[in-house]
Amino acid sequence: MTVQQQQQHREFLKSEPGVEPILVEGLFRASPERIFRAFTEPEDVHAWFVPNSGNLVSAEIDLKVGGRWRFVIEKTAEKQIQFEGEYLAIDPPNRLEFSWRHVQEFADGRREATDASHVTITFTETGKATEVRLRHAAIKSEDARRGVGGGWDGCFGRLADLVAA
């Protein structure tokens, strides 16, 4: 990624790094329906969810209130690292709300998970584009908020590339 692309992608993070809640916003040249699908269809999620040039191992989505989602970002013989949660509100193509946990599952059966945090995303049509506003709240530590904020910022950059294609 060029320095110009990195600077452009950093513009999505609207809150100060480490501050509660994390606020990420972007204007995307696509319909709200298209952007909503990018957040809710596994094949689209694979294309943008991991920042930089990484890729997901798998994406599972049960898109209904109470349905679970799980995005595996790393899998080795020793452990699996994933994000997971439950859908709390679904209003296509306007709003999506879900819980969020960072989880490590080890080969010996141990499981380490963060406390659940809360993500709310709104999709608002603005002319021929969609304004996406993401609010990620209830992350306990400043370091974790910095990591999650930077992650969402990079992901929004990849999302912009996906819907521009």
Side-chain angles (χ1 to χ4, degrees):
M1 183 181 296
T2 68
V3 171
Q4 182 180 7
Q5 287 172 319
Q6 288 173 345
Q7 289 171 341
Q8 178 186 5
H9 289 181
R10 283 193 192 109
E11 294 174 9
F12 295 110
L13 183 63
K14 301 303 179 190
S15 54
E16 289 296 317
V19 172
E20 165 78 9
I22 297 164
L23 302 173
V24 185
E25 298 177 1
L27 189 63
F28 298 90
R29 293 177 189 242
S31 69
E33 292 81 7
R34 174 66 187 105
I35 304 297
F36 189 88
R37 280 196 321 268
F39 277 84
T40 58
E41 293 186 2
E43 50 281 353
D44 279 348
V45 171
H46 268 280
W48 70 269
F49 184 74
V50 178
N52 305 318
S53 59
N55 289 302
L56 285 178
V57 175
S58 67
E60 300 168 15
I61 295 173
D62 182 15
L63 190 63
K64 64 184 179 192
V65 172
R68 313 267 317 148
W69 65 272
R70 180 172 70 161
F71 303 159
V72 178
I73 58 172
E74 182 182 321
K75 187 172 185 170
T76 65
E78 295 81 33
K79 70 178 174 181
Q80 177 171 295
I81 301 173
Q82 63 200 28
F83 298 110
E84 65 182 36
E86 179 179 315
Y87 289 104
L88 305 171
I90 303 168
D91 177 20
N94 306 303
R95 182 181 177 88
L96 194 58
E97 199 172 325
F98 49 89
S99 63
W100 171 288
R101 279 192 172 86
H102 178 260
V103 178
Q104 293 186 76
E105 294 180 343
F106 297 90
D108 64 7
R110 285 182 301 126
R111 178 178 161 97
E112 295 176 2
T114 61
D115 290 337
S117 56
H118 188 258
V119 178
T120 302
I121 309 166
T122 58
F123 309 88
T124 306
E125 190 169 9
T126 307
K128 293 184 178 181
T130 300
E131 181 178 41
V132 178
R133 288 189 168 149
L134 181 144
R135 182 180 192 275
H136 196 151
I139 298 173
K140 300 289 185 200
S141 77
E142 180 180 343
D143 283 348
R145 288 189 297 269
R146 285 180 184 277
V148 170
W152 277 123
D153 189 60
C155 287
F156 267 45
R158 289 191 73 190
L159 175 61
D161 295 341
L162 170 70
V163 299

